[in-house]
Amino acid sequence: MNPQADAAVDLADILTKAAVVAGMEPRDIGGVKQLSGGASSEVWAFDLATDDGIMPLVLRRQPAQQRFSSPGPMTLSTEAQVMRAAKNAGVPVPHVLFELPEDLQAGEGFAMERIEGETIGGRILKLPELAAARGAMTQQCGEILATLHKADVGSVQLDLENVGPQEALAALEQRYRDTGQARPVFEYALRWLADNLPDDDRRVLLHGDFRNGNLIVGPQGIRAVLDWELAQVGPPAYDLGWLCVNSWRFQNPHLPVGGFGSREELLAAYQAEGGAVFGLEELHAWEVFQTMHWGVICAGAGKSFEDGNRSVEGGVIARRASETEFDLLRLLMPDSETWHV
Amino acid sequence: MFDPPSPADMIAQVRAAMAKDISDNFAQKVAANAMSIAERQIASADAADAAEMQRLGELLDGQGELEEMNRKLCEAIRNGDIAMGDAQLETHLIATTLQKIAVDQPGYAAYRRYLEDIGRA
């Protein structure tokens, strides 16, 4: 009795059926291997053989039993649709081949092409074979985000969250207050944002988590953008600000864009590709917003721990809130003499 | 004032994880990190909290428990009772945050670079 082997056989059967439903002619499914299994979703690699050859694929799945246990920001079905829409708009996204049909009772999920490359942020910044990639990635980030942001939001026809700057700020504040924690640095940042976060009527399709860590990178640069589950509609600077958050620069804090480039180059590439026009000041305000946003996520992990959802990893993530407090103060009071005391 | 979980809770959680199974390399590294945080906080919290309490007393012109004083400071910032750009507030926020990150994540790249820049790495 080998539970893992049994699971793989069962899954191969499910995948074969799902491929058939999608109009494919699968000859064989092999190499079924679980890559990761979080509390609410699983990731599997597998190879699908057709008469045209072997396709290396990835399955993202939420098992049927878990369906009602954690709502999450987005269903896998919606995520697959977002990926298709982004790909249709010209963004490098893994091609989605099929979804798991409901009547297979195998949970919710989708299969996409498996793209080789590096995804770990710190490795992208230091592998010698990616030196040329690092030189190209800032430009590529600007082009990719502009391409995404030019997608016709109306035609995407998805029930995505649609939030403007002031609503986003109110939601951020509420999320902080929901932790119940007294954080003077966050209070200061909220006041600064109330005074400085610009209004913006523009609403674009946002990735929502576009950063070094969610990109597949090869020697020529970005091959694909991953993890679309936070996609939403909102002001364009939301995505660019998040990309510049210090936490995603890994060992290169002096290079604002992902640890590989400058804000100026990012904005120039973004606007050259037809992205929304805005300047460094607006980008700065969103960088402040998004730094606090990551901080509130970490603080939330602390609240969750205190509420009884305990894990070592959760406790350590909770203690990352202070990195964002450090970054916020560097952004908001860079010239204070206290830095030199 | 340091963030949750407390050192006692961190240590208890690592102990509970070890009692089950912590043979995975990644899990070991995370546990070691958690223990380091607890270790550094145990070593420095008394002095850090005392310094913070001193600064809060001067800022808010009053006394109280550390958490209560922090709530009062939050209210004062939120209400505009303290001006943005107030030098004493800035000094307090920076000093408190530097003590926090020294415990939570002394290896954070931007913090290490900052220490190098001021010649204290």
Side-chain angles (χ1 to χ4, degrees):
Chain A
M1 281 298 206
N2 182 340
Q4 281 173 344
D6 288 345
V9 165
D10 291 338
L11 193 56
D13 185 52
I14 287 162
L15 292 167
T16 305
K17 289 180 171 140
V20 166
V21 167
M24 300 179 75
E25 291 176 349
R27 297 296 169 223
D28 188 35
I29 300 250
V32 180
K33 192 175 89 167
Q34 187 162 15
L35 298 179
S36 75
S40 58
S41 74
E42 304 169 349
V43 184
W44 294 76
F46 67 100
D47 298 319
L48 191 156
T50 66
D51 286 344
D52 297 327
I54 297 177
M55 307 168 85
L57 301 176
V58 167
L59 171 73
R60 287 273 309 273
R61 179 168 84 136
Q62 187 175 13
Q65 301 85 345
Q66 256 101 62
R67 187 185 300 214
F68 301 105
S69 68
S70 63
M74 181 182 290
T75 63
L76 288 174
S77 176
T78 302
E79 189 176 342
Q81 290 173 66
V82 171
M83 289 176 69
R84 286 199 185 97
K87 189 163 174 74
N88 287 342
V91 177
V93 180
H95 178 57
V96 175
L97 279 96
F98 58 83
E99 295 182 47
L100 296 182
E102 207 179 307
D103 56 4
L104 285 186
Q105 298 196 314
E108 210 189 306
F110 63 88
M112 60 180 157
E113 63 174 322
R114 191 164 86 232
I115 297 176
E116 296 303 312
E118 185 57 66
T119 57
I120 295 176
R123 289 172 58 82
I124 288 166
L125 295 180
K126 78 175 176 205
L127 288 173
E129 57 265 37
L130 296 183
R134 287 189 286 276
M137 282 173 70
T138 308
Q139 169 89 16
Q140 292 168 349
C141 284
E143 287 168 359
I144 286 167
L145 285 175
T147 302
L148 175 65
H149 293 178
K150 285 187 296 187
D152 181 354
V153 172
S155 77
V156 172
Q157 286 184 338
L158 291 166
D159 197 16
L160 298 176
E161 286 216 45
N162 186 332
V163 172
Q166 299 317 313
E167 284 173 279
L169 184 54
L172 180 66
E173 176 172 1
Q174 190 54 51
R175 201 165 169 182
Y176 155 58
R177 301 217 178 281
D178 287 346
T179 67
Q181 294 163 11
R183 295 186 165 270
V185 175
F186 284 3
E187 299 288 350
Y188 188 96
L190 284 170
R191 256 187 76 189
W192 187 93
L193 287 165
D195 290 340
N196 291 280
L197 190 68
D199 277 324
D200 193 342
D201 290 334
R202 295 171 298 193
R203 298 286 175 272
V204 301
L205 179 59
L206 298 168
H207 178 278
D209 193 7
F210 189 92
R211 57 180 169 89
N212 186 4
N214 279 340
L215 306 172
I216 303 180
V217 176
Q220 265 93 56
I222 299 170
R223 287 186 170 152
V225 181
L226 297 175
D227 284 337
W228 290 81
E229 64 188 23
L230 294 177
Q232 55 196 276
V233 173
Y238 184 100
D239 268 346
L240 283 85
W242 184 253
L243 177 59
C244 295
V245 166
N246 204 339
S247 302
W248 322 136
R249 303 177 204 168
F250 300 95
Q251 68 270 38
N252 292 350
H254 54 291
L255 290 171
V257 179
F260 48 78
S262 76
R263 296 177 185 95
E264 290 80 357
E265 190 184 348
L266 175 68
L267 274 182
Y270 178 75
Q271 278 149 21
E273 189 61 35
V277 177
F278 58 86
L280 286 168
E281 243 183 67
E282 178 161 349
L283 180 60
H284 179 258
W286 279 98
E287 198 175 315
V288 171
F289 178 101
Q290 294 289 39
T291 301
M292 179 165 164
H293 180 191
W294 170 234
V296 170
I297 290 171
C298 296
K303 165 90 164 93
S304 188
F305 190 104
E306 299 289 271
D307 286 348
N309 180 19
R310 301 198 163 196
S311 67
V312 177
E313 197 174 347
V316 169
I317 289 171
R319 291 304 194 105
R320 289 190 64 177
S322 55
E323 84 193 30
T324 71
E325 290 172 337
F326 176 83
D327 289 330
L328 283 168
L329 296 179
R330 295 295 269 173
L331 285 167
L332 297 177
M333 48 187 79
D335 302 323
S336 171
E337 285 175 13
T338 312
W339 293 113
H340 301 280
V341 163
Chain B
M1 194 169 78
F2 293 93
D3 291 337
S6 67
D9 282 348
M10 286 283 219
I11 290 165
Q13 201 57 38
V14 172
R15 189 221 350 103
M18 287 174 77
K20 278 199 198 135
D21 177 14
I22 204 169
S23 53
D24 172 68
N25 192 35
F26 177 73
Q28 282 183 6
K29 292 215 159 70
V30 175
N33 191 2
M35 294 297 275
S36 299
I37 294 168
E39 191 181 334
R40 287 188 295 264
Q41 186 165 339
I42 288 165
S44 64
D46 285 351
D49 286 352
E52 183 181 350
M53 187 72 95
Q54 169 92 5
R55 289 191 301 271
L56 283 166
E58 285 162 18
L59 252 180
L60 299 171
D61 199 23
Q63 296 300 324
E65 292 292 323
L66 194 53
E67 172 152 0
E68 192 195 319
M69 294 291 274
N70 268 288
R71 288 201 185 280
K72 284 197 176 134
L73 178 58
C74 285
E75 275 307 297
I77 295 169
R78 190 177 176 188
N79 296 341
D81 295 341
I82 295 186
M84 303 290 275
D86 180 297
Q88 207 180 350
L89 173 64
E90 290 192 353
T91 293
H92 171 71
L93 294 179
I94 291 169
T96 308
T97 301
L98 287 174
Q99 286 181 318
K100 273 178 93 169
I101 197 165
V103 162
D104 288 342
Q105 218 187 150
Y108 184 59
Y111 173 66
R112 282 190 48 173
R113 205 171 155 97
Y114 155 70
L115 291 178
E116 284 162 16
D117 285 349
I118 62 165
R120 211 173 288 163

